[in-house]
Amino acid sequence: MNNLYQKFHKDFYLKTGGFIPSIIQNQNLYPGDFFQIKDGQIVVLGNIFRDGNMSKSDCEIESNLTLNAANWNFSEGVSKPYSGRGNGENALEDNYEYSKQILAFKNAGSYWFKANNPKSTKLSNWNAIKDALIIKMTQTYYSFRELYVVTECATAEGWSLVVSGNSDAELELATATENLGLQDLFGDDSTKTISSRNIEYYQREDKRTPRFFRAKKLAVKNDKVESLKSDLISKQGNKEDWGNDFFDQDYYKDPSFMSQNYAANIASNVLDMLPANMLNPNTALHYFKWEDANLDDVTKLFISYGQY
């Protein structure tokens, strides 16, 4: 995803209490959807209910939960250098009064987001199903080692997002609605766009599309990671001595090689080194747990293969 959207995504997560937007990717995400993040993209692989991994009767699903609307209206780096009223004339030669406002954006990636009457649908008994889901997603149905499951999705009666593409971006808005305060032009249905300059993204949606979600991610338990890492590092000890003896060569021995190259990168691959059949439906809960998707996961949306 374009890095211009990174500030918005991080702020969105923090200000809405852990929701992640899927606006830019134009994706609807529902409770039970499971996905991976590949090359900066959310790749939805299925839904635990639709695919029969979990029965709806096993879950408690709450709908139309009201969210705090104050947390769904925020901006960064946006100012209003002009707000005022003017007079115009329509095709019937009638005079009318209109309100006009100019939004100026301080930096590339500056934004304004506004949503009206946000509500959510959530899996409210996650703790009751999480263990069974670990076994099913890592052993009996699939063999995932990396996975996210949507636990809550949010919608709004209407939302608007504008993101600047440059530091001199501007957006000029106007409305003929009489009772609309100047501070409310952005995001109102009656507002029209008069002109724009260097705007990267500007979208308004007036339908309740599930473009915001919370998720849990599959993770390896810390104690198992450390234990397995210690075992694997121990097995790699004296590798240089072994190499010299086995191949009958006098290879150079670098005492810092293990700590700098091996130990630092082993955590992500530690489960691949388990002996055969050690990880099975009876032991899966010893190794896996669920964690809240966090800002590290948001950052993954902006990491693509080939980036340095």
Side-chain angles (χ1 to χ4, degrees), residues 50-289:
R50 188 177 185 184
D51 297 348
N53 310 127
M54 190 69 67
S55 170
K56 187 176 181 180
S57 62
D58 295 328
C59 301
E60 295 177 7
I61 302 175
E62 294 186 82
S63 301
N64 294 315
L65 299 174
T66 300
L67 303 173
N68 187 348
N71 296 335
W72 290 68
N73 182 4
F74 52 90
S75 63
E76 172 66 30
V78 182
S79 61
K80 304 171 187 176
Y82 176 81
S83 295
R85 297 186 183 277
N87 292 306
E89 191 173 281
N90 61 24
L92 299 177
E93 297 185 354
D94 292 330
N95 291 326
Y96 65 92
E97 188 177 67
Y98 63 89
S99 299
K100 175 181 173 181
Q101 191 170 75
I102 294 177
L103 305 181
F105 299 81
K106 183 177 180 181
N107 300 303
S110 293
Y111 67 86
W112 193 350
F113 173 79
K114 182 179 181 180
N116 300 317
N117 192 21
K119 293 185 177 182
S120 77
T121 301
K122 67 181 294 187
L123 304 179
S124 57
N125 68 329
W126 174 258
N127 287 336
I129 67 172
K130 61 184 179 66
D131 289 349
L133 205 54
I134 284 177
I135 296 171
K136 292 179 178 182
M137 305 309 276
T138 67
Q139 298 297 311
T140 56
Y141 284 98
Y142 309 101
S143 56
F144 287 118
R145 299 295 180 265
E146 174 190 345
L147 192 69
Y148 298 83
V149 176
V150 176
T151 57
E152 185 173 6
C153 72
T155 64
E157 284 184 355
W159 58 260
S160 299
L161 171 65
V162 57
V163 181
S164 65
N166 212 318
S167 58
D168 61 349
E170 281 190 355
L171 186 66
E172 183 178 354
L173 306 172
T175 181
T177 302
E178 295 182 0
N179 297 324
L180 190 64
L182 288 175
Q183 71 277 12
D184 296 323
L185 262 61
F186 178 75
D188 188 85
D189 291 340
S190 68
T191 298
K192 305 297 182 183
T193 302
I194 305 302
S195 65
S196 64
R197 183 179 71 205
N198 292 330
I199 296 298
E200 174 70 19
Y201 182 92
Y202 183 29
Q203 181 68 28
R204 294 171 58 184
E205 174 63 68
D206 60 1
K207 300 178 179 62
R208 283 196 174 275
T209 52
R211 298 288 173 82
F212 320 99
F213 67 92
R214 283 180 172 140
K216 297 286 186 179
K217 65 177 177 180
L218 194 64
V220 181
K221 291 185 175 180
N222 293 333
D223 58 335
K224 291 298 182 181
V225 169
E226 295 306 317
S227 176
L228 292 170
K229 281 173 60 177
S230 296
D231 290 344
L232 291 173
I233 291 172
S234 177
K235 290 178 181 179
Q236 291 296 316
N238 300 320
K239 183 179 180 181
E240 287 77 10
D241 291 335
W242 169 85
N244 285 334
D245 294 339
F246 187 85
F247 296 105
D248 194 22
Q249 290 287 328
D250 186 18
Y251 293 115
Y252 170 71
K253 295 170 59 176
D254 182 355
S256 65
F257 176 80
M258 279 291 297
S259 60
Q260 293 180 351
N261 296 279
Y262 186 78
N265 299 313
I266 196 174
S268 61
N269 303 312
V270 67
L271 291 182
D272 295 337
M273 294 298 295
L274 281 175
N277 298 322
M278 180 173 285
L279 182 57
N280 55 60
N282 294 321
T283 63
L285 297 182
H286 297 314
Y287 292 95
F288 290 107
K289 63 179 179 178

Side-chain angles (χ1 to χ4, degrees), residues 1-7 9 24 40-41 163-165 200 301-302 304 307:
M1 196 187 305
N2 192 323
N3 285 335
L4 283 173
Y5 305 118
Q6 188 165 6
K7 177 62 175 172
H9 279 71
I24 307 302
Q41 299 292 318
V163 181
S164 65
E200 174 70 19
L301 296 173
F302 302 92
S304 299
Q307 285 188 345

Side-chain angles (χ1 to χ4, degrees), residues 284-299:
L285 297 182
H286 297 314
Y287 292 95
F288 290 107
K289 63 179 179 178
W290 295 104
E291 294 180 347
D292 291 332
N294 56 37
L295 285 177
D296 290 338
D297 304 294
V298 173
T299 300

